[in-house]
Amino acid sequence: MNLIFLGAPGAGKGTQAEIVSGKYNIPTISTGNIIRAALRNETPMGLQAKSFIDAGRLVPDDVVIGIIKDRLSQPDCANGFILDGFPRTIPQAEALEQMGVPIDRVINLEVADEVIAGRMAGRRVCKECGSSYHVEFKPPKTEGVCDACGGALVRRKDDEPETVLERLGVYHAETEPLISFYDRLGKLVTVEGQTAVEDTTAMTLRALEEIA
């Protein structure tokens, strides 16, 4: 089962991807996490990415795609995977198609901008492993401490209100067109994000039942 999770920043992609990952025993591949891992491990693609990051430039699509291709070739992806945070643009989606990676379903989590802004104010991320939490909807067992690795939880600059509005603007301009792209391919299912995480999960799992 090869899946993509689409949705604005803060729509709940990471949370739902983690749940689906556990249920079907397939890895969640977060672009940010694998780029950080490639940098840490100094892989050839990671070193390429580092040269752009050190220069204060965006990592170009061909380098990001190379890192993702390396990750998808690993044994734990043999039975499927979830892409979270990729593709972000139509050219990236087209490149993924050209790589010959079959995508079974694209889950589009739809949440209003004002709801997202409220949610993201409560989001916390582990400085060490990147695990995501929320002070209200997904609190850690110990306040301020990651359940997975014991690292400190922080509010990222990305989750500050003014940054959230900027990120939503970028999403609507660059990533939202992917909804039509995957709809034309007959792969899109839109899930309306609910107030309760478990309600969104129930709708997401129903959307996947027919291909599981």
Side-chain angles (χ1 to χ4, degrees), residues 70-126:
D70 286 348
R71 179 66 184 86
L72 296 182
S73 69
Q74 293 179 21
D76 64 337
C77 293
N79 294 322
F81 54 80
I82 301 167
L83 287 176
D84 173 14
F86 184 89
R88 290 183 186 273
T89 63
I90 296 288
Q92 286 182 351
E94 290 172 341
L96 194 64
E97 291 287 312
Q98 287 160 14
M99 274 168 57
V101 177
I103 300 297
D104 298 307
R105 194 67 89 239
V106 177
I107 301 293
N108 172 43
L109 286 174
E110 204 158 86
V111 180
D113 284 5
E114 57 270 22
V115 174
I116 285 173
R119 277 185 187 176
M120 291 180 79
R123 189 155 77 167
R124 301 291 183 269
V125 177
C126 176

Side-chain angles (χ1 to χ4, degrees), residues 17-206:
E18 187 180 330
I19 292 166
V20 172
S21 169
K23 179 175 174 60
Y24 291 108
N25 195 29
I26 55 176
T28 298
I29 298 169
S30 161
T31 313
N33 287 349
I34 64 168
I35 288 177
R36 282 190 288 273
L39 292 171
R40 197 166 52 244
N41 297 329
E42 296 188 335
T43 67
M45 282 293 180
L47 291 172
Q48 276 195 53
K50 187 176 187 300
S51 67
F52 289 97
I53 292 167
D54 287 348
R57 295 160 61 194
L58 287 174
V59 180
D61 281 356
D62 61 331
V63 177
V64 174
I65 289 161
I67 290 172
I68 287 170
K69 194 170 185 177
D70 286 348
R71 179 66 184 86
L72 296 182
S73 69
Q74 293 179 21
D76 64 337
C77 293
N79 294 322
F81 54 80
I82 301 167
L83 287 176
D84 173 14
F86 184 89
R88 290 183 186 273
T89 63
I90 296 288
Q92 286 182 351
E94 290 172 341
L96 194 64
E97 291 287 312
Q98 287 160 14
M99 274 168 57
V101 177
I103 300 297
D104 298 307
R105 194 67 89 239
V106 177
I107 301 293
N108 172 43
L109 286 174
E110 204 158 86
V111 180
D113 284 5
E114 57 270 22
V115 174
I116 285 173
R119 277 185 187 176
M120 291 180 79
R123 189 155 77 167
R124 301 291 183 269
V125 177
C126 176
K127 286 176 72 174
E128 302 302 323
C129 72
S131 293
S132 186
Y133 298 86
H134 193 282
V135 294
E136 183 181 353
F137 302 116
K138 191 190 172 190
K141 294 185 178 75
T142 304
E143 187 176 345
V145 179
C146 176
D147 294 347
C149 76
L153 301 183
V154 297
R155 181 157 85 170
R156 301 184 309 175
K157 186 179 183 299
D158 279 357
D159 294 335
E160 299 289 345
E162 62 277 10
T163 312
V164 170
L165 292 178
E166 289 174 16
R167 291 176 69 203
L168 286 170
V170 170
Y171 167 77
H172 291 310
E174 295 184 4
T175 306
E176 203 168 52
L178 290 172
I179 295 171
S180 297
F181 178 86
Y182 283 113
D183 192 32
R184 284 196 300 273
L185 294 177
K187 297 177 180 180
L188 187 84
V189 178
T190 292
V191 172
E192 296 280 347
Q194 305 297 303
T195 303
V197 171
E198 56 269 25
D199 292 340
T200 305
T201 300
M203 295 171 73
T204 301
L205 293 177
R206 274 201 299 275

